[in-house]
Amino acid sequence: DLDKDDVDAYMIAGCLSRILETLTSETSDVKLKESCFEAIASLSLSQRHRQDIKQLLLQALQMLDHRFDEYFRQQQELELLQGGTVGSNLVLHLLQVLFVIYDFKMKAHDLLELTDGRIDYAISGMSSILRNKTMEADHHMAAARLMYELTLSDSIFDPQERNEASIQTLTKTFNNHSNRLIKATIQYDVFAAFFSCLAPAVRHSVISANQNASSQHLQTVHVIFSYWLHMIQNLLQYCTESALQFRKHVAMQTQMVPELLLPYFNLLMDVLAKGESTIDSRSD
């Protein structure tokens, strides 16, 4: 006899099979594909506690991995046509599913493998998650962490490559990576993406702090803020051909200090004054 979990898995496998038929067809209907991935994303969130379902989802995505480049390309084209705003949620839903499959522990190396090394695709995808206000905190924190990890050498070098390549080769490769990362950060206005995510959260946290509300929201804000600040710090320290362009972008084209940093530091002072101990050491 089949128990309820077995029946659920059987029905979900049947649904995924029908969805895959659509996604592997030659249709050029982006909205239809978006609806398919939205269904998979909803399924992944509702079944995130079941490893057997996540395995089914992984197998389904593995059948589509040769099309991921097409999805990211379509997303990028739509964003550029819309002046930098998200023109489709197709990639957004794809990343939602992958975050759940990875238990929100996807690494930057995995992200670059997914995008076939295209940093602009990676930045575009993470920005779309940060801009989406319906996403759960886990998604926002994972996207912020991946943005930060993309500024680290670990995202492009494995231990064997570090040991075998010359310092000149490693330096050249990392400089090229950093240049492309800075250009993508400016092109997709990562500051605006973080602002879209953080500004409402900071305002809400100020209210929460004043009302002695849940500390979980304060913790989420701190984690995202810490990854963002560490990302900026790393990019500002790079001595690449795009470094000056990035410094000008930070200084002249963003309202980072008055609109985010000062309200955030005021929030921290309020929290410390109340004796809160909600700041997690993982983001120090």
Side-chain angles (χ1 to χ4, degrees):
D1 292 340
L2 296 177
D3 60 21
K4 183 179 183 301
D5 285 349
D6 290 332
V7 173
D8 287 345
Y10 179 79
M11 294 178 65
I12 289 171
C15 290
L16 287 175
S17 177
R18 296 295 299 273
I19 291 173
L20 285 174
E21 288 180 12
T22 300
L23 290 173
T24 55
S25 68
E26 297 304 317
T27 178
S28 58
D29 189 338
V30 176
K31 285 297 182 183
L32 178 59
K33 295 176 182 178
E34 180 183 326
S35 297
C36 289
F37 271 110
E38 183 178 9
I40 298 176
S42 298
L43 179 62
S44 69
L45 289 172
S46 65
Q47 303 293 322
R48 62 167 61 180
H49 60 288
R50 290 188 54 180
Q51 292 299 323
D52 58 334
I53 301 300
K54 287 195 284 190
Q55 186 61 34
L56 286 175
L57 293 170
L58 178 60
Q59 292 171 358
L61 292 187
Q62 286 173 338
M63 297 178 64
L64 297 168
D65 61 357
H66 64 290
R67 294 177 179 264
F68 287 170
D69 182 72
E70 171 194 343
Y71 299 153
F72 278 98
R73 178 181 53 77
Q74 290 176 340
Q75 174 86 359
Q76 186 182 63
E77 290 173 352
L78 285 168
E79 285 186 357
L80 293 176
L81 285 173
Q82 305 257 353
T85 60
V86 176
S88 166
N89 289 323
L90 194 154
V91 168
L92 184 79
H93 295 315
L94 168 61
L95 291 170
Q96 270 188 290
V97 178
L98 287 169
F99 278 9
V100 172
I101 290 174
Y102 277 91
D103 292 322
F104 298 95
K105 296 176 183 177
M106 176 186 281
K107 307 298 289 183
H109 183 80
D110 301 318
L111 178 60
L112 288 177
E113 185 175 335
L114 171 70
T115 63
D116 198 24
R118 290 286 299 266
I119 296 175
D120 53 340
Y121 287 173
I123 292 295
S124 170
M126 295 305 100
S127 294
S128 68
I129 289 178
L130 290 173
R131 293 176 192 273
N132 191 292
K133 294 179 174 60
T134 65
M135 286 284 178
E136 297 181 358
D138 285 339
H139 290 91
H140 285 155
M141 287 191 290
R145 175 179 54 76
L146 285 166
M147 288 273 211
Y148 157 67
E149 287 183 0
L150 284 171
T151 68
L152 305 177
S153 59
D154 289 345
S155 66
I156 54 174
F157 300 125
D158 57 40
Q160 182 178 355
E161 189 174 9
R162 285 178 184 271
N163 294 331
E164 294 179 355
S166 66
I167 187 65
Q168 292 83 1
T169 299
L170 293 174
T171 300
K172 182 178 180 180
T173 300
F174 188 68
N175 282 344
N176 288 336
H177 170 84
S178 301
N179 275 322
R180 289 184 291 135
L181 178 58
I182 288 174
K183 290 176 181 177
T185 298
I186 296 173
Q187 178 183 2
Y188 291 100
D189 205 349
V190 168
F191 283 92
F194 271 100
F195 180 80
S196 176
C197 173
L198 284 170
V202 169
R203 286 194 292 268
H204 177 78
S205 294
V206 170
I207 296 172
S208 297
N210 290 335
Q211 297 176 346
N212 293 320
S214 170
S215 64
Q216 184 59 46
H217 193 83
L218 296 174
Q219 181 60 49
T220 299
V221 170
H222 175 70
V223 169
I224 297 174
F225 234 107
S226 296
Y227 286 133
W228 179 56
L229 292 177
H230 280 93
M231 175 188 180
I232 295 172
Q233 181 183 31
N234 287 347
L235 291 178
L236 287 173
Q237 289 176 341
Y238 293 154
C239 298
T240 66
E241 62 187 54
S242 298
L244 180 59
Q245 181 185 8
F246 182 71
R247 294 188 184 103
K248 289 181 178 179
H249 176 70
V250 173
M252 302 174 62
Q253 296 177 264
T254 70
Q255 293 295 312
M256 181 175 71
V257 173
E259 294 185 359
L260 275 182
L261 287 181
L262 290 180
Y264 175 63
F265 289 145
N266 288 334
L267 170 63
L268 287 184
M269 293 301 100
D270 290 341
V271 171
L272 292 173
K274 293 177 182 295
E276 297 279 352
S277 58
T278 60
I279 295 178
D280 196 314
S281 60
R282 61 179 159 171
S283 303
D284 289 349

